[in-house]
Amino acid sequence: MDDMTIAGTLDVTELAFLAFTLFFIALIFYLRREDRREGYPVEDEVTGRVDTPGGPLSDGGPKEFLMPFDRGAVSTPTKGREKVDVAGKRTFRSPGAPYYPTGNPLEDGIGPASWADRAKHTDLDAEGHNRIVPIGTVPSISIHKKDADPRGMSVIGADGKEAGTVSDIWIDRAEHQIRYLEIDTGSKKVLAPMAMSLVKGKKGTVIIDALNAEDFAAAPVPAKAGEITFYEEERVVAYFGGGYLYANRERQEPFV
């Protein structure tokens, strides 16, 4: 069949082109509505004015997601607008201007010590078990005999002073790797990210230069023994990560 005409001058090629064009326009509308579920309406960071544009592309509408392991459902947008009363002041009045802290930045959550308000429940593996747990609760996982076991080692901070002793190891049972070191500071036990720790020798010490020794005891701790939530992980990592800038005054100065 050589004649591809459907009706009049409308042929199969023209019909396919029109169908693709309509699909592409619909796709643009869909994507532009979907990307406005979180973070909109836009707020001016200098004046605080909230921009609420109208029109069919300004709002994706509510959407519900079913959570695994009988954790119910969540809808998006998930919450109201985030607070903007951070414990800091602008260095100058302009979009993108950095803040300088007015309190304790490690605890106030500003700059590199900031955190996201994540879910208040634990991460789970594929079988529904808590993913981040002390190593003693998973008999099938242990430290390889050729590797250094940090338990019992002294922890040295950025100032060269002893912050405490490693009392336990928290592992990721799904990935089979160490995620946190539990440190006994003398006043309480805190968790330090393994990614920020350096184990020196099999019977040596653990260097965590993110914080000075005296700052370890004020680190956030999980509310429930033996488990840590997404939110608590966020707080712990933010506290130690912020120390790379705020642990001492010298770190806040330019290199050149």
Side-chain angles (χ1 to χ4, degrees), residues 55-73:
L57 298 181
S58 64
D59 184 13
K63 191 172 185 178
E64 190 175 78
F65 299 88
L66 296 177
M67 304 300 290
F69 304 110
D70 299 323
R71 284 185 165 173

Side-chain angles (χ1 to χ4, degrees), residues 150-157 161-170 179-194 196-199 205-222 236 239-240:
R151 285 173 289 188
M153 291 186 181
S154 297
V155 177
I156 306 301
K161 298 180 181 179
E162 184 175 344
T165 304
V166 178
S167 57
D168 204 353
I169 298 170
W170 287 48
R179 290 286 297 275
Y180 298 98
L181 297 179
E182 184 180 276
I183 302 172
D184 187 349
T185 64
S187 59
K188 68 176 184 180
K189 294 182 179 179
V190 301
L191 296 181
M194 184 62 193
M196 303 180 191
S197 308
L198 176 63
V199 179
T205 57
V206 177
I207 308 298
I208 303 179
D209 62 356
L211 300 172
N212 294 321
E214 63 179 3
D215 296 324
F216 278 73
V221 295
V236 169
Y239 184 87
F240 278 85

Side-chain angles (χ1 to χ4, degrees), residues 244-246 248-256:
Y244 285 111
L245 178 63
Y246 297 124
N248 53 61
R249 185 63 185 176
E250 288 73 19
R251 294 183 176 182
Q252 300 176 45
E253 299 298 330
F255 287 107
V256 180

